[in-house]
Amino acid sequence: MEEIVLRLKELLFPSIADVAVLSVDVSIAMVRVDAECTGNGAACPTCRVWSDRVHGSYLRFPADVPSAGRSVVLHLKVRRFACRNSECTRRTFVEQIPGLTRRHGQRTERLRATLASVGLALAGRAGARLSSTLGVCVSRSTVLRLVDALPEPEAPAPRVVGVDEYAT
Ligand SMILES: [Zn+2]
C-alpha cells in the first residue's frame, strides 16, 4: 500500500517536493486527491524568518489539471505557522508548496499555467470553451485574468545598431 502511495506521488507531483499523497478517490466525473504538506516548516512571507511552530491546519481545495477527462481537485492539508520574529507585522502565515500553490490561489500553479497558455492562444471566449471541453470550467474573464497575470516577456536585446543609435 505504501509503495502504491509513493508511486502516486511520483505520478501526480513528479517535480514537487514537500507534498505527500494520502489517497486518491475516483468517481464518474471527478478525481479527488487527498494530500498534505510535509516540509519541516516554512519561511514567513513578510520577514523570511523560518518557523516550525504550527499554529493550526486546515484543508484547501485547489483545482488541478484534469486527468483522463475527469476534473481533479486536491484536498490539501496545509499548516498555519506562527512567525518567530517578534518584530514582524505578521503573526501567522500559511505554508505554500512552491510549484503547486500560491496564496489565495483556487487553482494549482500548473492549472494556472495551462489555462494561461490556452488564453494566450485563443483569448477569453474560445479559451473558456476549449477549457470546458478539457474538463475545466472557467469563465472567459478568468482566462483573460490569468493571461494578464503572466510576467511581461523580456524584450530581446537589439542585434543591429541603427544609424540613429550610433550617432548618439
Ligand atoms: Zn514574519
Side-chain angles (χ1 to χ4, degrees), residues 44 46-48 83 85 88 90:
C44 170
T46 300
C47 67
R48 311 307 304 166
C83 182
N85 180 359
C88 183
R90 187 184 293 270

Side-chain angles (χ1 to χ4, degrees), residues 112-128 130-131 140 142-153:
R112 283 178 68 93
T114 302
L115 293 174
S117 297
V118 169
L120 279 175
L122 298 173
R125 196 181 303 269
L130 176 63
S131 300
R140 62 190 173 119
T142 298
V143 173
L144 293 177
R145 197 162 31 79
L146 292 171
V147 171
D148 207 34
L150 289 172
E152 290 287 324

Side-chain angles (χ1 to χ4, degrees), residues 52-63:
D52 59 359
R53 197 190 307 160
V54 177
H55 187 264
S57 65
Y58 64 95
L59 285 175
R60 290 181 65 181
F61 308 100

